[in-house]
Amino acid sequence: DIKKLPKNFKLPKAKKDFFHTLDGIILVSQKVIEFCEKYGYKNISFINLPGTDYHWLKPKKIIKYDHKTRNVLFSGYDRNCKAYNEIVGPTPVCLVDKTPLGDNFYRTDLSFGSSIVALYPLICIGTDTKEKIKAAGLTGCTFRQIFDKYDQLPDLRVQLKV
């Protein structure tokens, strides 16, 4: 749970249904929560941001990111934490499982970025989910294709880009 926001935390002036913070956290409006409930999306948690109408979107369904195909750079392994300080090269997205994603929200098993700011997973959705988001008129997100290979687009998977 988030008990208190930093004093310098500011919501964008334009009220959108999806947006992200500089450290990669995807925030959503109550409208997105109602959308997820309407379509019965499971394995998603929404953590309320105190004093706001927004929530942190945290999908629990994990998909394996294909770091070999994408040539992801892992830097600064910390033996104490047993983790890398930086993981770079998240887009375009390549997944290990090449089958289409189902109608739901997912997060990658790898978190990208730098431990100096934050490491965050990528949020991906199925194409049916994409069409439902568009039909519902939810604002603030764009969509990117997920690659099977670094230079080839697949048919039925989409990365949610906020």
Side-chain angles (χ1 to χ4, degrees), residues 4-146:
K4 186 177 176 185
L5 294 173
K7 290 181 180 179
N8 63 349
F9 180 81
K10 293 181 182 166
L11 292 170
K13 290 181 182 178
K15 298 292 182 189
K16 297 182 178 182
D17 296 308
F18 289 89
F19 70 93
H20 69 88
T21 63
L22 293 176
D23 56 0
I25 294 174
I26 294 181
L27 302 177
V28 298
S29 68
Q30 184 64 34
K31 193 173 170 184
V32 174
I33 295 172
E34 292 165 4
F35 168 85
C36 290
E37 290 170 351
K38 174 182 177 181
Y39 289 106
Y41 295 128
K42 305 284 186 218
N43 298 310
I44 303 173
S45 61
F46 298 98
I47 298 172
N48 185 301
L49 294 181
T52 76
D53 295 329
Y54 285 90
H55 299 77
W56 178 5
L57 171 74
K58 294 184 73 175
K60 296 177 186 175
K61 287 184 168 254
I62 298 173
I63 50 178
K64 293 188 77 57
Y65 189 93
D66 189 348
H67 65 278
K68 291 178 183 173
T69 297
R70 181 57 192 93
N71 296 319
V72 170
L73 173 66
F74 295 85
S75 175
Y77 186 75
D78 184 325
R79 289 184 182 152
N80 293 327
C81 297
K82 297 183 180 173
Y84 288 92
N85 290 322
E86 290 185 322
I87 303 178
V88 182
T91 58
V93 174
C94 294
L95 300 176
V96 170
D97 186 351
K98 307 304 182 196
T99 58
L101 292 175
D103 182 17
N104 211 328
F105 289 76
Y106 304 82
R107 69 174 179 88
T108 56
D109 61 332
L110 290 180
S111 292
F112 295 88
S114 167
S115 61
I116 294 170
V117 177
L119 294 159
Y120 56 91
L122 302 178
I123 307 299
C124 299
I125 59 175
T127 53
D128 289 344
T129 313
K130 171 190 165 188
E131 294 307 319
K132 289 175 183 175
I133 288 172
K134 288 168 70 175
L138 297 175
T139 60
C141 60
T142 57
F143 307 97
R144 295 181 181 170
Q145 289 284 1
I146 293 176

